Amino acid sequence: MSAEKDGSRPAASAQKIIVAIDGPSGAGKSTIARHLARHFGLLNLETGAMYRAFALKALREGLSLDESAGPESLAARTTIRLEPGEEHNRVLLDGEDVTALLRNQTVTDAASRVSVFPAIRAWMVRLQQEMGAAGGVVMEGRDIGTVVFPEAEVKIFLDAAPEVRGLRRYEQLGAKPEVQPAEVIREMRARDERDRNRADSPLRPAPDAVLVDSTHMTLEEAVRAAEEIVAAKLATV
Ligand code: DC
């Protein structure tokens, strides 16, 4: 029985571990990270939300995202904090709760664009390392197992075929008549391409990550697979 169902406290070892979840968008990272956090009593930190919050500020200030100078000087006068939330983390941008403003297409695209700049990444990585330093976290993103916490006890790389990920994203958006599935898939591919091919910390599995391909799984099955990977690790620490 799970810790959340029988009300038991998670094992002491679970309270210290770092679980890194990386992979492209639509692979199920958020759902899985959220479940693992509840199940094992860990703090869930969504690093993509930090890039999104910074992108929102850059958009608000009308910065060009084609060069790094503007975003870099903006970073020097920006604070970003994550707090536990219901479905997603609560995100505080310079103290303002911007959680509800981060999931539209404009911010999504801008987040991918600002995340190519090395100085922005170095700043984010430092913040994320501080947030996870005490352990007891599930951290979700693109470079957690490779750059942020290469020594994480558990690393899971989640993937799925682009068409499957695109359709999941389309359904998450609430199947609006003005949005076509093909368009969602195309935008997602463009973003993936940028995330996988950037020079600094491209999206790729850490050599010691466990790969979970959810193309032919339900999200529920992928959640169970991830849960088993963490449980197996906990049994050895
Ligand atoms: O996970 P997400 O879709 O919220 O992430 C938004 C963008 O941020 C994504 O296109 C790539 C970038 N990102 C990143 O480069 N590194 C991370 N650790 C998390 C997100």
Side-chain angles (χ1 to χ4, degrees):
M1 186 185 278
S2 70
E4 76 221 88
K5 282 187 189 139
D6 66 9
S8 63
R9 285 173 56 74
S13 49
Q15 291 171 359
K16 288 281 167 224
I17 64 163
I18 295 177
V19 178
I21 312 266
D22 290 303
S25 55
K29 295 191 303 293
S30 297
T31 308
I32 288 171
R34 197 159 50 235
H35 171 82
L36 293 178
R38 285 197 194 122
H39 188 81
F40 293 103
L42 305 169
L43 181 65
N44 179 21
L45 296 170
E46 298 173 295
T47 60
M50 300 170 69
Y51 288 92
R52 287 170 183 270
F54 180 66
L56 173 69
K57 182 160 172 178
L59 288 169
R60 281 176 170 175
E61 303 225 349
L63 292 186
S64 163
L65 304 183
D66 295 326
E67 45 182 5
S68 64
E72 279 178 26
S73 64
L74 185 67
R77 49 188 177 85
T78 301
T79 63
I80 295 175
R81 272 187 38 216
L82 294 184
E83 291 184 349
E86 265 303 302
E87 192 184 349
H88 288 290
N89 285 166
R90 206 167 150 248
V91 189
L92 299 175
L93 172 65
D94 300 322
E96 174 193 352
D97 186 344
V98 294
T99 316
L101 307 177
L102 301 182
R103 308 250 150 219
N104 60 64
Q105 193 52 48
T106 311
V107 171
T108 299
D109 182 61
S112 171
R113 295 176 66 195
V114 295
S115 71
V116 303
F117 300 131
I120 302 302
R121 300 204 66 81
W123 169 54
M124 292 284 179
V125 167
R126 212 169 44 245
L127 288 176
Q128 291 154 11
Q129 288 172 335
E130 281 167 19
M131 291 189 302
V137 297
V138 178
M139 195 173 276
E140 179 227 304
R142 303 291 188 290
D143 59 345
I144 311 305
T146 50
V147 178
V148 181
F149 285 114
E151 74 289 4
E153 283 82 359
V154 182
K155 298 181 189 177
I156 298 175
F157 192 89
L158 275 173
D159 210 346
E163 295 74 17
V164 171
R165 294 187 288 107
L167 281 177
R168 283 182 194 154
R169 188 44 43 95
Y170 173 69
E171 281 159 16
Q172 275 170 4
L173 291 172
K176 300 188 185 87
E178 70 274 19
V179 184
Q180 295 303 313
E183 191 191 328
V184 176
I185 294 172
R186 198 179 55 248
E187 276 162 2
M188 212 190 55
R189 275 186 195 272
R191 191 154 71 98
D192 279 0
E193 189 87 345
R194 198 183 294 125
D195 294 346
R196 287 186 204 267
N197 293 315
R198 65 182 174 223
D200 187 0
S201 321
L203 170 66
R204 66 166 65 116
D208 52 347
V210 182
L211 302 184
V212 175
D213 186 326
S214 68
T215 304
H216 301 293
M217 292 179 180
T218 62
L219 266 182
E220 179 71 7
E221 286 167 337
V223 162
R224 293 299 151 220
E227 192 183 306
E228 278 167 25
I229 292 164
V230 178
K233 181 68 195 183
L234 284 175
T236 69
V237 292

